[in-house]
Amino acid sequence: MSESDVTRNGVEGARHGREAVTGAHAGRRRRRRRGQRGERPVVPEAHFSSYYGRPVLKAPPWKALDIAGYLFLGGLAGASSLLAAGGQVTGRPGLARVAKLGAAGAITVSLGALVHDLGRPARFVNMLRVVKPTSPMNLGSWLLAGYAPLTVAAAAADVTGRLRGPGAGATAASAVLGPAVATYTAVLLSDTAVPSWHEGYRELPFVFAGSGAAAAAGLALVCAPPAQTGPARRMAVLGAVAELGAFRLMKRRMGLVAEPFEQGRPHRLLRGAELLTTAGAALAACAEAVGRAGVGRHLGRRVPAAVAGAALLTGSAALRFGVFHAGVASAQDPAYTVVPQRERLRARSG
């Protein structure tokens, strides 16, 4: 660019008609200098934008219902397998059966949602052609391929009453894989370049683990006999504490990139998830106290347990949808990509 071009455009590097359009939430405003009245800032306010106003990152093309549902159902399935094994070991057949059926049903629908988003079943099968330890998606595909048949075998053996020995083995094996199934999706999201997912890599697995535990406990409270739901009530409280505590810690550590969690639809979903999970866990704890006191042997314990379970299930689903939509929003605003990169470069150079 010649010197005359610079003078004509006013700013070096600017070209007529090619200014990038800034995003609605792009950047942070600089603090205005304080001084005499009417003083104008010398340096213009900084705005973060991209070439021709396009986002720096391409937003995930995934369908919300498919992928957020896949995240929720995977957590429900993995935690239900743990609850099924606990019910089987402690002599609670009603609880064990509900958890086994819940795990098998949830993982089957979860796989269906994943395949539907992929478009063709062959795309999922193709991920099993190799083993790539550095790819969370590849390892997750192998994990699901091994876990899903185990849950179906465990549920079938329980319902039919046949092959109890292999069924017990399938229940134990699915319980071993259950924690990985409940949390690997958090690793998968954190492995992307989406800012609000990537920056939460430390705490997001714990958030998903707690959310899955709350969902599995909620299903058991709704469907299992009240007299056998003691482990589910305790799991509900522990899961809620882990989910809410880890999520708050994650947002506090993430700084600017946590903003999408506090805006628009993600904020409404996550706020609803917090309220529902807290209320469900509190009601489950109260139902546990009532059960220990021997008050209300059936109906008086059944109704609060069902309400608590429904709240926990809904809260867990709302959290997954909120996290999904927050990630998509963060990818659409250049500020959430540019600012953390500059801060990391500044920290390394300083």
Side-chain angles (χ1 to χ4, degrees):
M1 179 179 291
S2 64
E3 185 176 351
S4 60
D5 291 332
V6 175
T7 305
R8 192 164 49 246
N9 290 308
V11 181
E12 184 175 1
R15 297 184 183 180
H16 179 68
R18 298 187 64 178
E19 291 82 359
V21 181
T22 58
H25 304 289
R28 293 279 194 176
R29 293 186 176 181
R30 296 178 181 270
R31 294 182 178 177
R32 297 183 181 275
R33 297 184 177 181
R34 298 181 179 178
Q36 299 177 355
R37 172 177 282 184
E39 181 181 0
R40 296 182 179 179
V42 178
V43 181
E45 295 178 357
H47 294 277
F48 297 97
S49 60
S50 57
Y51 198 55
Y52 290 113
R54 296 183 178 180
V56 176
L57 298 176
K58 181 180 179 181
W62 304 328
K63 303 178 186 68
L65 184 60
D66 286 340
I67 298 305
Y70 160 70
L71 300 176
F72 164 66
L73 292 169
L76 171 62
S80 291
S81 291
L82 282 175
L83 198 57
Q88 182 170 284
V89 170
T90 58
R92 293 179 171 89
L95 174 63
R97 173 169 293 186
V98 167
K100 290 176 187 178
L101 292 173
I107 201 61
T108 300
V109 178
S110 176
L111 283 171
L114 176 61
V115 170
H116 183 265
D117 187 80
L118 291 173
R120 295 197 305 269
R123 291 179 176 174
F124 178 80
V125 177
N126 288 338
M127 288 189 285
L128 302 177
R129 296 174 63 182
V130 297
V131 177
K132 191 175 182 181
T134 57
S135 170
M137 182 175 291
N138 179 260
L139 292 183
S141 300
W142 279 104
L143 177 63
L144 293 177
Y147 172 79
L150 290 172
T151 61
V152 173
D158 190 278
V159 171
T160 61
R162 299 179 179 179
L163 301 175
R164 293 186 177 275
T171 300
S174 62
V176 172
L177 297 179
V181 172
T183 56
Y184 97 91
T185 50
V187 179
L188 180 62
L189 294 182
S190 302
D191 195 52
T192 67
V194 176
S196 290
W197 293 344
H198 180 74
E199 295 298 324
Y201 70 95
R202 293 180 183 174
E203 297 88 2
L204 197 57
F206 297 98
V207 175
F208 277 23
S211 177
L219 179 65
L221 289 171
V222 172
C223 301
Q228 299 183 22
T229 55
R233 296 190 187 102
R234 291 185 284 274
M235 177 180 275
V237 175
L238 292 175
V241 170
E243 172 192 331
L244 300 176
F247 193 68
R248 290 192 176 186
L249 180 63
M250 182 182 76
K251 289 193 297 181
R252 187 180 308 163
R253 184 185 60 81
M254 288 170 61
L256 173 68
V257 189
E259 281 187 355
F261 294 117
E262 303 293 338
Q263 299 171 351
R265 181 192 297 181
H267 173 68
R268 293 190 295 271
L269 287 167
L270 294 169
R271 181 58 176 165
E274 182 179 9
L275 294 175
L276 287 167
T277 301
T278 301
L283 193 55
C286 292
E288 173 76 3
V290 169
R292 289 179 178 177
V295 180
R297 301 204 45 93
H298 185 70
L299 185 61
R301 295 162 60 186
R302 184 68 173 177
V303 173
V307 173
L312 291 167
L313 281 166
T314 308
S316 179
L319 178 120
R320 306 305 175 107
F321 277 84
V323 169
F324 176 85
H325 286 295
V328 174
S330 71
Q332 294 172 342
D333 192 330
Y336 301 125
T337 302
V338 175
V339 174
Q341 289 178 346
R342 291 183 177 180
E343 290 178 348
R344 285 193 289 268
L345 288 174
R346 193 179 299 113
R348 291 173 185 172
S349 61

